[in-house]
Amino acid sequence: MWVRAYVSMCFGDPWEGPVPVEQVVDVAVRLMDLGADQLSLGDTIGVAVPSQVWDVMGRLMDAVPDPSLAVHFHDTRHLMTQCHRQRMDRRFSGAIMRAMMSVLPPAANGT
């Protein structure tokens, strides 16, 4: 059975704040060791910045031999495209929050 493992809140946690790169790499390595075929890294709360994406992806690619990586960004702070550009060679799934603003109540502004 093919398995995609998800690592959520790779770039920020609403309760604990910034997520150490080592923590993301440790979880990712453990998931690959358990047999995952692909890792999907999530900017679950929409706080990633391009330099962070570069660092996390680079460190992960050093730690996991030839990983199959997917990424998921939210465009809450209008940085999704720049974050994606950090690793154009990886799979990309973007949730464009601006496009959804017209159907969400005013209080649900994605921040």
Side-chain angles (χ1 to χ4, degrees):
M1 175 187 332
W2 190 87
V3 175
R4 176 189 274 183
Y6 290 84
V7 184
S8 299
M9 294 188 282
C10 293
F11 305 98
D13 181 306
W15 300 279
E16 297 181 16
V19 177
V21 176
E22 298 78 22
Q23 188 174 0
V24 175
V25 171
D26 181 54
V27 170
V29 167
R30 286 190 284 163
L31 288 169
M32 293 301 285
D33 288 347
L34 288 170
D37 296 295
Q38 183 180 64
L39 295 173
S40 180
L41 306 177
D43 178 25
T44 312
I45 62 170
V47 297
V49 296
S51 59
Q52 212 178 7
V53 174
W54 181 262
D55 192 29
V56 170
M57 296 291 283
R59 296 275 296 281
L60 186 57
M61 290 168 46
D62 289 340
V64 179
D66 195 30
S68 180
L69 295 174
V71 291
H72 180 93
F73 298 111
H74 290 265
D75 203 24
T76 308
R77 298 183 327 172
H78 311 295
L79 293 172
M80 180 179 65
T81 302
Q82 291 88 343
C83 287
H84 172 58
R85 285 182 183 147
Q86 295 303 312
R87 290 291 189 218
M88 290 291 286
D89 57 330
R90 300 294 173 206
R91 299 182 197 279
F92 177 65
S93 168
I96 303 175
M97 295 301 290
R98 286 181 297 199
M100 296 176 60
M101 287 303 123
S102 62
V103 296
L104 294 175
N109 62 11
T111 59

